[in-house]
Structure formats: structure tokens, C-alpha cells
Amino acid sequence: MLQINILYVGNIKDKFLADAVAEYEKRLSSSCKLKHIELKEEKPPENPNDAEIAAVIRKEGDRLLQALPQRSYKIALCVEGKQISSEELAKKLADIPLMGTSEITFIIGGAFGMDERVKRAADFRLSISKMTFTHRMMRVILIEQIYRALNILGGGSYHK
Amino acid sequence: MLQINILYVGNIKDKFLADAVAEYEKRLSSSCKLKHIELKEEKPPENPNDAEIAAVIRKEGDRLLQALPQRSYKIALCVEGKQISSEELAKKLADIPLMGTSEITFIIGGAFGMDERVKRAADFRLSISKMTFTHRMMRVILIEQIYRALNILGGGSYHK
């Protein structure tokens, strides 16, 4: 069974988003082992300047790099990554075990973005959209796409 | 004040998605007049063939065309549309009133997609992602992007 880790910075404060994640988690429980790795968010000062933002990104980057399951296939979510269709994501999830690991880690950066070192450490950079979403909203979108991808692979009826 | 209509086929069955829409709706109430226009979903037979799916799309297309507020600026959400950033969407929402209407209608198709006639009737085709989302999930994503766009225009602090 595929082991899927979702590694991210910060917790979900909004109940309506947490409920959405919990629901997809439940639906995923029969098709993969899902693990959330939640890292502490770095609090910037109010109205942070560029250097202060860079410091937040760097500190959160340190934490992400340290927590990254090294033997897993690592997929970093970032706007400059490659856009693929849901079917292509499904194919990717099916192909990864053939490359020697059945563990996949999706990485979501913090409120100010993801450290370049984390992007470089990833095996694949995935872009969901040209639009910006909160990193919290991104968790909902990602988990729905993982559910969709595994459903495509399993021949399920979850459709558009 | 901008009038924003969200025209779509089908209701949101999942409570966790309905809660998300309700929350963004509340946050939007001070910056635009938001109106939901919910149309009846056409139920296909079980395991529909291509002709049956086409019939669903056509019937839902009839309803969408009939309900479309003619004098509004019409934005159809479809995967083959143009991808723009959140900042570009904000600019678009700011520019539309300069073109003579302060009413904007976003259109979301049904479970099987959107009739080509509806796409042709739109002033702009917007693609959020190469990935497929349920049309219900798309409502959450869209309303969050509208909130983000109006926040960008208002100089708000809602960030990534």
C-alpha cells in the first residue's frame, strides 16, 4: 500500500478547511497510508520587510529539510513547478513504486513561500495553478487531488 | 459596489464544502454584492454512454443560457480557458466596471462539463488549473479567489 506523507508548515486554523481535509482523509484511508507532518510556523514581526520575510522562509526551510523523509519520492508544490492533469498525477503515483519506493512526500511551504533549498531537494516540482492559494487552502486542494488520483487508478466512480 | 453572480449547476452536497463557501461569503459581504444562482442538475442514467452524457450537458447548457444575466460580464470556468494569476484576476475585476458594467457572472458547469454554447456566450474563459476538480470543489476555489482578488484591490492583508 502506498505511503503518502503531506509535509507542511503551519496548522489549519479555519474549521471549515480542517473539516474538508478530515473528510478526504477518511475517504483515503482504504487506498493509502496517509501521514501528516505538521511543522511549526515561524511568526514574522508585523509588517515584515524583505529581510524579515527571507528569514522566515529560511527558518521554515531548515525545518522542512530536517523533517523530509529522505527515502521517499519528494514532490514540492510551487507555482513555478510543472502543471500536470489529474490523470498525469495518477500515472505519476502509479509509476513511483516502480522506481523503488512506495513512499511519496508532498511538501507545502509556509505563508510566504518555500525555501529554494527545499525545492532543490525535491524530485519533482508540481504547480497546481498560476493563481495563489493560501497554504492552508492548498492542503484541501492537494488532498482532493490525491483522492482523485487514487480513485482514477482504482477505477472508481469519483468524477468531475 | 461590484455585483458578483456565481451561476452553477447542482447544489453542494458535502457539508464541509458548503461551510467553506459560507465562510468566504461572509468575508465577502462588505466588499461586493454576491448572488448565487443555483440551477437544477440533470441526472444521467447509471453508467451513461456518450450520447447520454452529451444530453445532460445540453440540457444543463439550456438552463445556464436561460439563467445567464445578459448585461453582466460573463466569465466561464473551463479547463481550456486562459490561466491568469490572482493579481491578474484582481486587475480584471477592477477593469470590468470601466467597460460599462459593474456586474460580473462566473459560470461553473455541471459534473460532466460545460456546454460549448455557454462557453461561446461568455466574455472570458478562465482556467484555474490543468487538473480536474469536482464542480463543487470548484465553487470553493472560485470564491476564495474572488475574496483574494477583492482583498488585493482593497489593499488588505489576506496573504498567501
Side-chain angles (χ1 to χ4, degrees):
Chain A
M1 198 183 237
L2 212 55
Q3 158 92 42
I4 297 184
N5 308 314
I6 304 183
L7 176 62
Y8 53 86
V9 173
N11 61 348
I12 290 198
K13 291 174 201 155
D14 297 312
K15 186 176 178 309
F16 64 98
L17 293 181
D19 286 350
V21 168
E23 175 60 33
Y24 283 112
E25 233 178 82
K26 202 168 71 187
R27 296 186 191 175
L28 273 168
S29 61
S30 62
S31 48
C32 73
K33 275 192 280 185
L34 189 67
K35 187 176 163 190
H36 288 283
I37 310 170
E38 187 177 299
L39 304 177
K40 200 173 144 281
E41 205 167 9
E42 189 64 27
K43 284 276 169 283
E46 217 165 316
N47 302 315
N49 60 31
D50 286 353
E52 286 163 335
I53 288 174
V56 167
I57 293 175
R58 197 173 53 244
K59 277 184 198 165
E60 290 180 346
D62 289 340
R63 284 174 208 154
L64 284 168
L65 287 169
Q66 201 165 24
L68 208 47
Q70 279 310 323
R71 286 189 305 181
S72 66
Y73 185 89
K74 298 172 269 300
I75 300 178
L77 271 72
C78 49
V79 77
E80 71 272 34
K82 187 168 156 50
Q83 285 205 22
I84 59 177
S85 69
S86 303
E87 288 71 21
E88 288 165 336
L89 178 63
K91 190 174 177 314
K92 201 158 187 60
L93 297 192
D95 286 350
I96 289 166
L98 309 176
M99 294 158 61
T101 177
S102 59
E103 186 177 345
I104 302 171
T105 304
F106 288 92
I107 314 160
I108 302 175
F112 297 101
M114 188 187 285
D115 193 315
E116 287 299 323
R117 292 171 300 160
V118 180
K119 294 180 193 170
R120 281 197 298 270
D123 298 294
F124 187 73
R125 300 176 190 196
L126 173 66
S127 172
I128 303 271
S129 175
K130 264 185 83 172
M131 291 184 166
T132 311
F133 297 94
T134 62
H135 61 301
R136 301 175 207 284
M137 183 77 186
M138 194 46 91
R139 279 184 57 193
V140 180
I141 293 173
L142 172 63
I143 200 166
E144 198 261 354
Q145 282 303 308
I146 294 172
Y147 177 67
R148 174 179 298 273
L150 294 182
N151 205 275
I152 290 170
L153 295 178
S157 65
Y158 180 72
H159 63 43
K160 289 181 269 181
Chain B
M1 198 184 240
L2 212 53
Q3 158 92 41
I4 296 183
N5 307 314
I6 304 183
L7 176 62
Y8 53 87
V9 172
N11 60 350
I12 290 198
K13 291 174 201 156
D14 296 312
K15 187 178 177 306
F16 64 96
L17 293 181
D19 287 350
V21 168
E23 174 61 32
Y24 284 113
E25 236 177 80
K26 202 169 73 188
R27 294 186 191 174
L28 273 167
S29 60
S30 62
S31 47
C32 73
K33 275 192 282 185
L34 189 68
K35 185 175 163 190
H36 288 282
I37 310 171
E38 186 176 299
L39 303 176
K40 199 174 145 279
E41 206 167 9
E42 189 63 25
K43 284 276 169 285
E46 217 165 315
N47 301 317
N49 60 32
D50 287 354
E52 287 163 336
I53 289 174
V56 167
I57 293 175
R58 199 175 50 244
K59 278 184 199 166
E60 290 179 347
D62 289 341
R63 285 175 207 154
L64 284 167
L65 287 169
Q66 201 165 22
L68 209 45
Q70 281 310 324
R71 286 190 306 183
S72 65
Y73 185 90
K74 297 173 270 300
I75 301 179
L77 272 71
C78 50
V79 76
E80 70 272 33
K82 188 168 156 51
Q83 285 205 23
I84 59 177
S85 69
S86 303
E87 288 72 20
E88 287 165 338
L89 177 64
K91 190 174 177 314
K92 200 159 187 58
L93 297 192
D95 286 349
I96 288 166
L98 308 177
M99 294 158 59
T101 178
S102 59
E103 186 176 346
I104 302 170
T105 304
F106 288 92
I107 314 162
I108 302 176
F112 296 100
M114 188 186 285
D115 194 315
E116 288 299 324
R117 294 171 298 160
V118 181
K119 292 179 193 169
R120 280 196 299 269
D123 298 294
F124 186 73
R125 301 176 189 197
L126 174 66
S127 172
I128 303 271
S129 175
K130 263 185 84 170
M131 291 185 167
T132 311
F133 296 94
T134 63
H135 59 303
R136 301 173 207 286
M137 185 77 187
M138 194 46 93
R139 279 183 57 195
V140 181
I141 292 173
L142 172 64
I143 201 166
E144 198 260 354
Q145 282 303 311
I146 294 172
Y147 177 67
R148 175 180 297 273
L150 294 182
N151 205 274
I152 290 170
L153 294 179
S157 66
Y158 181 72
H159 61 42
K160 290 181 268 181

